Amino acid sequence: MQVYDAPIRDMRFVLEELHNDDGFGDVEGYEDFDSDVSTAILEEAGKLCKEVLLPINWSGDQEGCKLENGTVSTPKGFQEAYKAFCEGGWAGLGVAEQWGGQNAPHALGKMVEEMTCSANLSFGLYPGLTGGAMVALEAHGSDELKEFYLPKMANGEWSGTMCLTEAHCGTDLGMLRTKAEPQDDGSYLVTGNKIFISAGDHDLTSNIIHLVLARLPDAPAGVKGISLFLVPKFLPNADGEPGEHNHAGPTAIEHKMGLKASATCQMSFDGSKGWLVGEPNKGLEAMFTMMNTERVAVGIQGLGVGEIAYQSAVYYAKDRLQGRSLSGVKNPDGPADPIIVHPDVRRMLMTMRAYNEGCRALSGWVSRALDASHSAREPEVRERATDFVALMTPVVKALFTDLGHESAQLAVQVYGGHGYIQESGVEQFARDARIAQIYEGTNGIQALDLVGRKLPHRMGRNLRSFFHPVSQFCEDHAADPAIGKLVGALQQSFGALQLSTGHIAQKGLKDPEEAAAAATDYLRLLGFVAMGYCFAKACKIAHAKLAEGTSEEAFYKAKLITAQFFFDRLLPVATAQFMAIRSGKASMMDLPEEAF
Amino acid sequence: MQVYDAPIRDMRFVLEELHNDDGFGDVEGYEDFDSDVSTAILEEAGKLCKEVLLPINWSGDQEGCKLENGTVSTPKGFQEAYKAFCEGGWAGLGVAEQWGGQNAPHALGKMVEEMTCSANLSFGLYPGLTGGAMVALEAHGSDELKEFYLPKMANGEWSGTMCLTEAHCGTDLGMLRTKAEPQDDGSYLVTGNKIFISAGDHDLTSNIIHLVLARLPDAPAGVKGISLFLVPKFLPNADGEPGEHNHAGPTAIEHKMGLKASATCQMSFDGSKGWLVGEPNKGLEAMFTMMNTERVAVGIQGLGVGEIAYQSAVYYAKDRLQGRSLSGVKNPDGPADPIIVHPDVRRMLMTMRAYNEGCRALSGWVSRALDASHSAREPEVRERATDFVALMTPVVKALFTDLGHESAQLAVQVYGGHGYIQESGVEQFARDARIAQIYEGTNGIQALDLVGRKLPHRMGRNLRSFFHPVSQFCEDHAADPAIGKLVGALQQSFGALQLSTGHIAQKGLKDPEEAAAAATDYLRLLGFVAMGYCFAKACKIAHAKLAEGTSEEAFYKAKLITAQFFFDRLLPVATAQFMAIRSGKASMMDLPEEAF
């Protein structure tokens, strides 16, 4: 059973209560999105997800996409769902009003993204890619390109892609071979083959706008010779309607482990007409604008799948009767108790719950910083927010997708043998979530980005944007009678993080392989400390609410228990990570290649 | 790429060098299986696996099984492979000579099982189930049944199944409904429906012998009213050839996440003729004879998939060129270095390698104990071996399958985007391995078996069969100049295990939910300490070999590095598990059911 109701109460907690003191709240341009409007948007989005996107999630996986006669068709129901999605204005939720969007803050938009990813990850990719393409185009495209393309992308009429990977190069884009020849009219003819192109072709929109990395004839070798081009599937006529086919199309669709309703294409560009986006040979930077947005979005995908996996597992754990509670029969009228009574089932459910709430809390913080980085009134705040987003982007991407996949696998485990059967719907979550640990830069690459770029950047300034509030909070609340004990545990893991940071800075300076050998453990450690900090803050708020009296006692009490579970059962792994980091690179690197 | 060569050198290390001092070596009846014979068997098995079973592994996944006109057909090539398997005598490798088998020791047979599971897990299930059925039949069947059925099962002419699960009961077999009516001729008519029956029907053998759990008319309720019946698919004629159809057949095959070439059937028994195996109402005990053998076998499945996942990932990591080494260009003539130069790729490969070698070492120890439990000359040794097998059976099942699945997922990660594509062959490993964490008792059930049954059994005697040698080894080698440091780390995690054991014994006595809340972490902790002990012993041997001079320097040096990696990077998680266990059940159990 795929079960989903948008977790709106927890989303509102994160949006409205948890991060009010983070200094990122004073932003311009989002005045319309007060609590009532935001709640209404969350509720509408939740409804769409539950009623329109969820019902075609499993069928979409079973049916998959098909390539026939050079075009891809999406599974049954996807066209209608996409129409409803666009008619609701969801395609342009976060887009500037100038292009016809609603200019909603990221803090809200990411919550809506989480919902789409829960209800139908494959579906979510189509508008998701368009969103990323719009970000890159808005940041780097000429006014002409922006005015022509953005409005049609913001209303969902046209969609977007990002075409980076080629068969021989994914992570290492310096090797890419696709070529772009300048034409007299200022356009370019793009020629080459790409693989793994999400939404590379489909039947949801009348045109598809590809952003393609390619090399100019005189380009230097490596990553410094890559430029970005806008290449539409159909060349628009003067009236803006799609016209002549541009020889930019799919040659195959990939047979994947999951995410089968999302068309992942091998693409051929055969002298396809395109336009330069940004400056020549600066394509990678332009693409990274998109990629960084996408990396946070991919992290949210992990969270989204984690949430529906949790809800589906809870449903089954309450429904499935098997065995009796160790503390006495709980369902005397039935042949057995529901399996939610068993500690080991609880362990799995609470783990998923804590991951989801922890990731949502952290994602809410990062999203507020995203908004502040663009729109905070104070330049110092914009700068600090930019630092924080830079630091946390790889953490959100890698940590959330790892935990989302783990939650999906836990849901399968809760279902037991039934979870391994396709009809249960839960094994799809595990297959779908798996790609998020890989695409937009593998999680190993995220960890390298964190320790290799984000830590040393401007003498550790990124890191201070995170360490400072945590350290301040610990200082302020170490003696707090309500949360002092949790704060003590937080301090301990924070201490391990600080020592690890020192270890990496010191050893990595002499030998970059030492930093790289610590990277994955360090990212996880940092992420867990960040979640722990969010949980400790949540407890502070919950205790205050319960002390002053609230009609939502159950919500705040549950928050305290989930946080306690996180501190009891999940955060301890920080110690293991610290020990692993401290051990250095030797045993990882010593084995000669031929001995493998 | 699915890449596999049987790891014969490491298997021989485990068989011949690692456990010589464990006291389980003096057994009767296996005199023929000296080093030369064992090595020849391993080599022959490795050849069969590589040349016959591996080539149909991926195609079998793609094609799957089909049910048409009431019978299941296996994928292309399976019939021929099964014929080769039987002709080679592999079906009866571990079976007593009395029934036409070769009576090979478990210590050797489990190595061969590991190979089959590496090369083709789906295939391995067909003979694997037969093996389990033979064990139950040999232990509990009448002489008549044994003489009639075992020879044909030992040569692979007929296969076996175990039919336990019904739609409403898996773990909780007390609820099962299948009925058996006694007939005047001493037989029974069995009626009921079963699900998830591995090898329930197929086209590999001329008959299938089902072992079916069912209730006699006067049976008490619950698990004390279950009996075991032998129900053949075709009723044998007097001449022993399959005759009349016995109305025991598949009604559907399950659509699973993986293991698609293994036919998992829904079965209907419709007044099917059967014979009682063992005593009335003692069926569960008889079935557990089979199940315990199967649980170790399922653990080996995890190891098998882990090994091929490792080898396939190594192949790709050496072949795929992407990026440059942080310590200087390693492949100056190529456009990039092979990704095995990157620390994070090494981390994944070394993790898989350490898991596989650690599990193989532990499995070798348990298999020796299995042999000793039946065939040791000294009764005290038989008893100690029985204790040790009882303790380790749930550990082998749960730990190996968890780590095998993790290794399979790491292989996908090493392949990056290509790993998510079916053609790469590695995502199949992850899907196939996933079921092993579930069937034959979920891993949560294994953990409960460990803390609830195996720990308290006879005042902790099972545990002493493990604690004693570890504690002795630590004492003897704490000051060893070569391995003293590793032993110190082992002592630390062993100390955590001892304290955890005390915690569970003490808290669990008053409140069984406390023990259950600790179970999964405790199993992992115990398993890691056991692997750590095996690695420390391996290091002792390797140091001695290197000191005295050996032509296999590379092998022993690699063993030292892999062991060091285990202690540096993997064993530290024991500390986290200890902290989690110590935290108790409260945060796991406190959330009211309605708050989920």
Side-chain angles (χ1 to χ4, degrees):
Chain A
M1 274 292 281
Q2 300 192 336
V3 174
Y4 184 68
D5 277 296
I8 290 176
R9 183 61 191 91
D10 197 51
M11 289 177 165
R12 284 184 42 234
F13 176 73
V14 173
L15 267 176
E16 298 174 13
E17 298 176 68
L18 185 58
H19 298 297
N20 290 342
D21 60 355
D22 67 357
F24 294 146
D26 187 22
V27 290
E28 282 182 304
Y30 301 135
E31 290 75 10
D32 293 348
F33 294 88
D34 62 13
S35 172
D36 287 351
V37 171
S38 295
T39 303
I41 288 175
L42 291 177
E43 281 169 356
E44 275 307 304
K47 219 172 125 188
L48 179 85
C49 287
K50 184 174 179 163
E51 294 173 5
V52 178
L53 302 187
L54 182 60
I56 55 169
N57 188 38
W58 187 76
S59 58
D61 175 65
Q62 293 288 309
E63 185 183 340
C65 292
K66 282 177 195 65
L67 172 64
E68 277 166 346
N69 305 322
T71 50
V72 171
S73 51
T74 55
K76 193 159 172 286
F78 270 57
Q79 288 189 326
E80 294 77 2
Y82 187 75
K83 195 159 167 261
F85 185 87
C86 295
E87 282 172 3
W90 300 106
L93 183 66
V95 180
E97 284 173 21
Q98 184 183 1
W99 315 118
Q102 301 176 51
N103 197 38
H106 285 97
L108 180 63
K110 292 293 166 203
M111 301 284 182
V112 174
E113 266 180 54
E114 184 202 313
M115 293 183 196
T116 0
C117 295
S118 285
N120 197 322
L121 186 59
S122 280
F123 179 91
L125 245 63
Y126 295 100
L129 266 294
T130 308
M134 282 193 283
V135 168
L137 198 53
E138 194 174 7
H140 302 283
S142 67
D143 288 345
E144 208 183 332
L145 286 178
K146 287 196 274 192
E147 277 156 29
F148 193 83
Y149 287 96
L150 286 177
K152 283 187 193 286
M153 293 169 84
N155 68 18
E157 196 179 330
W158 294 354
S159 64
T161 73
M162 52 197 286
C163 301
L164 291 75
T165 304
E166 300 178 7
H168 57 285
C169 67
T171 299
D172 188 355
L173 286 168
M175 295 197 280
L176 79 78
R177 294 177 192 150
T178 298
K179 296 211 169 308
E181 293 278 343
Q183 303 298 301
D184 292 343
D185 65 355
S187 71
Y188 296 79
L189 294 188
V190 175
T191 302
N193 297 302
K194 299 281 179 179
I195 63 168
F196 300 166
I197 307 307
S198 297
D201 199 64
H202 55 79
D203 54 7
L204 303 180
T205 58
S206 61
N207 205 356
I208 302 174
I209 312 307
H210 305 292
L211 293 186
V212 186
L213 288 184
R215 293 189 179 282
L216 291 168
D218 55 352
V223 292
K224 293 188 172 151
I226 298 173
S227 307
L228 183 63
F229 299 88
L230 182 155
V231 182
K233 176 180 176 182
F234 296 105
L235 289 168
N237 291 329
D239 62 358
E241 290 307 305
E244 190 190 340
H245 200 291
N246 194 20
H247 311 294
T251 51
I253 47 177
E254 308 284 3
H255 305 108
K256 307 190 299 295
M257 182 185 206
L259 212 69
K260 295 186 186 210
S262 161
T264 308
C265 299
Q266 295 176 24
M267 299 288 290
S268 155
F269 297 92
D270 186 11
S272 311
K273 193 164 185 164
W275 290 269
L276 187 68
V277 176
E279 291 176 48
N281 302 328
K282 302 271 182 189
L284 210 60
E285 286 148 60
M287 193 53 105
F288 262 94
T289 310
M290 175 173 184
M291 189 108 83
N292 276 329
T293 316
E294 288 298 300
R295 283 179 171 178
V296 174
V298 171
I300 304 287
Q301 293 177 7
L303 168 56
V305 178
E307 178 65 31
I308 190 170
Y310 166 73
Q311 293 192 28
S312 302
V314 165
Y315 167 85
Y316 189 76
K318 290 180 176 181
D319 184 65
R320 173 78 170 170
L321 306 179
Q322 209 78 173
R324 289 296 185 186
S325 165
L326 291 167
S327 61
V329 172
K330 298 286 182 293
N331 177 32
D333 300 335
D337 289 338
I339 60 172
I340 198 170
V341 304
H342 302 309
D344 202 63
V345 173
R346 287 270 179 157
R347 176 187 62 79
M348 296 189 275
L349 297 178
M350 290 300 296
T351 300
M352 299 160 82
R353 183 181 174 97
Y355 285 163
N356 292 334
E357 291 188 15
C359 289
R360 188 174 299 119
L362 179 53
S363 136
W365 191 13
V366 176
S367 306
R368 283 170 62 92
L370 259 173
D371 288 324
S373 71
H374 298 120
S375 315
R377 270 177 238 277
E378 302 295 327
E380 310 86 80
V381 175
R382 283 203 294 276
E383 204 164 37
R384 184 167 59 81
T386 304
D387 293 345
F388 185 71
V389 171
L391 180 75
M392 285 296 177
T393 294
V395 178
V396 167
K397 196 283 181 181
L399 182 71
F400 290 18
T401 59
D402 279 352
L403 301 185
H405 178 250
E406 194 182 325
S407 287
Q409 295 287 0
L410 286 172
V412 172
Q413 197 68 22
V414 169
Y415 274 68
H418 294 273
Y420 198 64
I421 306 296
Q422 291 176 10
E423 281 78 359
S424 74
V426 291
E427 58 89 40
Q428 182 192 348
F429 301 147
R431 288 184 292 103
D432 283 1
R434 187 64 185 85
I435 188 58
Q437 298 167 283
I438 297 172
Y439 61 17
E440 306 301 338
T442 64
N443 286 359
I445 290 293
Q446 304 301 322
L448 286 179
D449 178 48
L450 177 64
V451 302
R453 268 195 290 257
K454 300 305 174 55
L455 289 196
H457 187 67
R458 289 199 276 181
M459 307 293 290
R461 220 185 62 181
N462 290 337
L463 201 59
R464 283 196 294 279
S465 70
F466 170 58
F467 276 16
H468 180 72
V470 177
S471 138
Q472 188 66 51
F473 180 84
C474 289
E475 213 171 282
D476 293 349
H477 298 91
D480 185 308
I483 62 165
K485 217 173 144 197
L486 288 193
V487 170
L490 177 63
Q491 273 175 315
Q492 200 175 3
S493 58
F494 184 48
L497 178 64
Q498 288 170 308
L499 287 171
S500 301
T501 309
H503 170 94
I504 290 172
Q506 198 185 2
K507 287 226 175 182
L509 209 61
K510 272 180 279 181
D511 179 356
E513 278 186 349
E514 283 286 356
T520 288
D521 280 304
Y522 183 82
L523 184 147
R524 177 65 69 105
L525 175 55
L526 192 152
F528 268 55
V529 170
M531 289 203 292
Y533 168 67
C534 292
F535 270 123
K537 282 183 72 174
C539 287
K540 182 188 154 192
I541 295 165
H543 278 296
K545 284 280 182 183
L546 291 166
E548 77 189 32
T550 163
S551 62
E552 297 183 304
E553 216 172 69
F555 175 80
Y556 292 106
K557 281 189 171 167
K559 188 60 83 179
L560 293 178
I561 293 168
T562 309
Q564 188 64 49
F565 182 87
F566 179 83
F567 278 90
D568 283 352
R569 296 271 167 178
L570 304 175
L571 189 59
V573 85
T575 311
Q577 254 116 23
F578 173 54
M579 290 164 77
I581 290 167
R582 215 176 38 177
S583 73
K585 78 168 192 179
S587 60
M588 196 181 284
M589 301 305 289
D590 276 358
L591 198 66
E593 191 179 318
E594 61 276 14
F596 277 90
Chain B
M1 275 290 282
Q2 301 192 336
V3 174
Y4 184 66
D5 277 296
I8 291 177
R9 182 63 191 89
D10 197 50
M11 290 177 164
R12 285 184 42 232
F13 175 73
V14 173
L15 268 176
E16 299 174 12
E17 299 176 67
L18 186 57
H19 297 298
N20 290 342
D21 61 354
D22 67 357
F24 294 146
D26 187 21
V27 291
E28 282 181 303
Y30 300 135
E31 290 75 10
D32 293 347
F33 295 88
D34 61 13
S35 172
D36 286 351
V37 171
S38 296
T39 303
I41 289 175
L42 291 177
E43 282 169 356
E44 274 308 303
K47 218 173 125 187
L48 179 86
C49 287
K50 183 171 179 166
E51 293 173 7
V52 178
L53 302 186
L54 182 61
I56 55 170
N57 187 40
W58 187 75
S59 57
D61 175 66
Q62 293 288 309
E63 186 183 339
C65 293
K66 284 177 193 66
L67 172 64
E68 277 167 347
N69 305 321
T71 51
V72 172
S73 51
T74 55
K76 193 160 171 286
F78 270 58
Q79 289 188 325
E80 293 77 4
Y82 187 75
K83 197 160 165 262
F85 185 87
C86 296
E87 283 173 359
W90 300 105
L93 183 66
V95 180
E97 284 173 20
Q98 185 183 1
W99 315 118
Q102 301 176 50
N103 196 40
H106 285 96
L108 179 63
K110 292 294 167 202
M111 300 285 181
V112 174
E113 266 180 54
E114 185 203 310
M115 292 184 197
T116 359
C117 295
S118 285
N120 197 322
L121 186 59
S122 281
F123 178 92
L125 245 65
Y126 296 100
L129 267 294
T130 308
M134 282 192 281
V135 168
L137 199 52
E138 192 173 9
H140 303 283
S142 66
D143 287 346
E144 207 185 333
L145 286 178
K146 286 197 274 192
E147 278 157 27
F148 194 84
Y149 286 96
L150 285 176
K152 283 187 193 287
M153 293 169 84
N155 68 19
E157 196 179 330
W158 294 354
S159 64
T161 74
M162 50 196 290
C163 301
L164 292 75
T165 305
E166 300 177 7
H168 59 286
C169 66
T171 299
D172 189 356
L173 287 168
M175 295 198 280
L176 77 80
R177 293 177 193 150
T178 298
K179 294 208 172 310
E181 293 279 345
Q183 303 299 299
D184 293 341
D185 64 355
S187 72
Y188 296 79
L189 293 187
V190 175
T191 303
N193 296 304
K194 298 282 177 179
I195 64 168
F196 300 167
I197 307 307
S198 298
D201 199 63
H202 55 79
D203 54 8
L204 303 181
T205 57
S206 61
N207 205 357
I208 302 174
I209 312 308
H210 305 291
L211 293 187
V212 186
L213 288 185
R215 291 187 181 284
L216 291 167
D218 55 353
V223 291
K224 292 185 174 153
I226 298 174
S227 307
L228 183 63
F229 299 87
L230 181 155
V231 182
K233 176 180 176 183
F234 295 106
L235 289 167
N237 291 329
D239 62 359
E241 291 307 304
E244 192 190 338
H245 200 290
N246 194 18
H247 311 294
T251 51
I253 48 177
E254 308 284 5
H255 304 108
K256 308 190 299 295
M257 184 186 206
L259 212 69
K260 295 187 184 206
S262 161
T264 308
C265 298
Q266 296 176 24
M267 299 288 290
S268 155
F269 297 91
D270 186 12
S272 311
K273 193 165 186 164
W275 290 269
L276 187 67
V277 176
E279 292 175 46
N281 302 328
K282 302 271 183 191
L284 210 61
E285 287 149 60
M287 192 54 106
F288 262 95
T289 309
M290 177 172 181
M291 190 109 82
N292 275 330
T293 314
E294 288 299 300
R295 282 179 173 179
V296 174
V298 172
I300 304 288
Q301 293 177 7
L303 168 56
V305 179
E307 178 65 32
I308 190 171
Y310 166 73
Q311 292 192 28
S312 302
V314 166
Y315 168 85
Y316 189 76
K318 290 180 178 183
D319 184 64
R320 174 76 171 171
L321 306 180
Q322 208 79 173
R324 289 295 184 186
S325 165
L326 290 167
S327 60
V329 172
K330 297 286 183 292
N331 177 31
D333 300 334
D337 288 337
I339 60 173
I340 198 170
V341 304
H342 302 309
D344 202 63
V345 173
R346 287 270 178 155
R347 176 187 62 78
M348 296 190 275
L349 297 178
M350 289 301 296
T351 300
M352 300 159 83
R353 182 182 175 97
Y355 284 164
N356 292 334
E357 291 188 14
C359 289
R360 187 173 300 119
L362 180 53
S363 134
W365 191 14
V366 175
S367 306
R368 283 171 61 92
L370 258 173
D371 289 323
S373 71
H374 298 120
S375 314
R377 271 178 238 275
E378 302 295 326
E380 310 87 78
V381 175
R382 282 203 295 277
E383 206 166 35
R384 183 166 60 81
T386 304
D387 294 346
F388 184 71
V389 171
L391 179 77
M392 285 296 176
T393 295
V395 178
V396 166
K397 197 283 182 182
L399 181 70
F400 289 19
T401 58
D402 280 351
L403 301 186
H405 179 251
E406 193 181 326
S407 287
Q409 294 288 0
L410 286 173
V412 173
Q413 197 68 22
V414 169
Y415 275 68
H418 295 273
Y420 198 64
I421 306 297
Q422 291 176 12
E423 281 79 0
S424 74
V426 291
E427 58 89 40
Q428 182 193 349
F429 301 146
R431 289 185 289 101
D432 283 0
R434 187 66 185 83
I435 187 58
Q437 299 168 283
I438 297 171
Y439 61 17
E440 305 301 339
T442 64
N443 286 358
I445 290 293
Q446 304 302 323
L448 286 178
D449 178 47
L450 177 65
V451 303
R453 268 194 290 258
K454 302 304 174 55
L455 289 196
H457 188 65
R458 290 200 276 180
M459 308 292 290
R461 221 185 60 180
N462 290 337
L463 202 59
R464 282 196 295 280
S465 70
F466 170 59
F467 276 17
H468 179 71
V470 176
S471 135
Q472 188 66 52
F473 181 86
C474 289
E475 214 171 280
D476 293 348
H477 298 91
D480 185 309
I483 62 166
K485 219 174 146 197
L486 287 194
V487 170
L490 177 62
Q491 274 176 315
Q492 201 175 4
S493 58
F494 184 49
L497 177 64
Q498 288 171 308
L499 287 171
S500 300
T501 309
H503 169 96
I504 290 172
Q506 198 185 5
K507 288 227 174 179
L509 209 61
K510 274 181 278 183
D511 179 356
E513 278 186 349
E514 283 286 357
T520 287
D521 280 305
Y522 182 82
L523 184 147
R524 177 65 68 108
L525 175 54
L526 192 152
F528 268 55
V529 170
M531 289 203 293
Y533 167 67
C534 291
F535 270 123
K537 282 182 72 175
C539 287
K540 183 187 153 193
I541 294 165
H543 278 298
K545 284 279 182 183
L546 290 167
E548 75 189 32
T550 164
S551 61
E552 297 184 303
E553 216 172 69
F555 175 79
Y556 292 106
K557 280 189 171 166
K559 188 61 80 179
L560 292 178
I561 294 168
T562 308
Q564 188 64 49
F565 182 86
F566 179 83
F567 277 91
D568 283 352
R569 296 272 165 176
L570 303 174
L571 189 59
V573 84
T575 311
Q577 254 116 23
F578 174 55
M579 291 165 78
I581 291 167
R582 214 175 41 178
S583 73
K585 78 168 192 178
S587 60
M588 196 183 285
M589 301 305 289
D590 276 358
L591 197 66
E593 191 179 318
E594 62 275 14
F596 278 90

